Amino acid sequence: MRDKFSEIIFKNSQRNKNIVIVAADISPSGKMAKLQKGSSSFINVGVAEQSMIGVCAGLAIGGKKPFAYTIATFSLYRPFEMIRNDLCYQNLPVTIVGMGSGTTYSTLGGTHLSTEDISIARSLPNMRIIAPCDPLELEDAVNFCCKNKTSPIYLRIGKSGEKNFTQNSREKWTFGKIRKVLNGYETCILTYGPIIKLAFEVKQNIKEKISIYSCHTLKPFDEKRVKTIMKKYKKIVVLEDHSKIGGLSELILAEGYKNKYKGKIISFSLKDQFINCYGSQSDLQEKHGISVKKIINSLK
């Protein structure tokens, strides 16, 4: 996803000279590296994430389209006050890119894990949140952000090696709309971000034909589509690489109560605990009860 972001932002910057990448002590990858060489379209502020947000606010006020770009924990957590006051309070069209979100940086410890970011971003007035599930959705999301003229956006992405899952989807990516990726019957999986790969692994290992939906826009949330989903399916599985507090799981449970849903909602989210272990991303997720085997067992 990191390389796809670089590719698409570079293409857009060639068409729109107002696009500016403001990075915080992170080396640009792929085609974005070209922007760094002798160009005013790339600014690296160093280890100064608060300044990164302040610079983006000033650029936006001056008519530019800035992207604040660094690792997710440092793009959102460290400069939170500046995001709240400089961007959200003034409702400026700045895109905050949280790269390597969730448990992606599984070998670097708790300081590099952004497992509460959606909850934090959702609490901010004027903030919108997009979490694409694969590089193809990321392309659509970046193109949308490049045309954005109002309100800040938190763009939550993975890092590298993510596969595409939406190439055969019958529904196009649309901001603010839940997207059906795979069609099934009595059971559906609602998810977002790169963890969608587990949904497809579940699909490959069971006989039942399940539906898979990408809930790529977490704010504003598509309550209308959720209502139709709850009328169609007897079982809804929520799958996310985020804390159970403030993420998709809470959204779906709230909608279930509001719509008097009579079916079964099964949530697979990270526990309300700090992650103190190291290992692969799947190791960390499994310690928090998220695995293909456990999802399959829950459907029996």
Side-chain angles (χ1 to χ4, degrees), residues 280-297:
S280 68
Q281 188 174 20
S282 59
D283 289 338
L284 269 60
Q285 290 171 349
E286 189 159 0
K287 278 187 174 293
H288 279 243
I290 303 172
S291 69
V292 172
K293 183 178 180 180
K294 289 181 179 179
I295 296 170
I296 292 173
N297 287 339

Side-chain angles (χ1 to χ4, degrees), residues 182-187 201-211 296 299-300:
L182 191 71
N183 191 40
Y185 302 108
E186 294 186 352
T187 300
E201 288 178 29
V202 169
K203 173 250 179 185
Q204 291 171 357
N205 285 279
I206 62 174
K207 293 181 180 180
E208 181 184 353
K209 194 172 182 181
I210 60 173
S211 292
I296 292 173
L299 296 176
K300 293 179 180 178

Side-chain angles (χ1 to χ4, degrees), residues 83-124:
I83 291 171
R84 179 183 182 271
N85 296 341
D86 294 351
L87 303 187
C88 293
Y89 187 72
Q90 300 185 86
N91 203 22
L92 297 176
V94 173
T95 300
I96 303 163
V97 183
M99 190 271 293
S101 59
T103 56
T104 299
Y105 280 98
S106 58
T107 59
L108 298 185
T111 58
H112 282 62
L113 304 179
S114 55
T115 57
E116 319 89 356
D117 53 340
I118 290 170
S119 178
I120 291 168
R122 278 185 60 219
S123 70
L124 290 169

Side-chain angles (χ1 to χ4, degrees), residues 37 42 71-72 126 174 191 199 215 236 254 277 287 291 295 298:
K37 298 178 180 179
F42 188 94
I71 295 171
N126 294 326
T174 304
T191 187
C215 303
I236 296 174
C277 61
K287 278 187 174 293
S291 69
I295 296 170
S298 74

Side-chain angles (χ1 to χ4, degrees), residues 5 9 19-23 52-53 56-57 60 64-70 75-76 83 87 91-99 127-130 132 138 141-157:
F5 172 78
I9 202 70
I19 292 173
V20 182
I21 304 296
V22 184
M52 173 183 70
I53 298 302
C56 284
K64 300 291 185 180
K65 289 191 176 297
F67 286 73
Y69 176 75
T70 191
S75 70
L76 186 69
I83 291 171
L87 303 187
N91 203 22
L92 297 176
V94 173
T95 300
I96 303 163
V97 183
M99 190 271 293
M127 179 66 80
R128 296 181 286 177
I129 304 170
I130 305 174
L138 176 61
V142 173
N143 287 333
F144 174 83
C145 292
C146 286
K147 297 174 183 176
N148 175 44
K149 294 181 180 180
T150 59
S151 303
I153 295 173
Y154 177 53
L155 179 60
R156 189 186 204 252
I157 70 174

Side-chain angles (χ1 to χ4, degrees), residues 35 42 47 55 92 123 168 200 206 214 241 244 250 268 279:
L35 294 177
F42 188 94
V47 187
V55 169
L92 297 176
S123 70
N168 297 320
F200 275 82
I206 62 174
S214 172
D241 187 29
K244 66 178 183 179
E250 277 198 352
F268 288 91

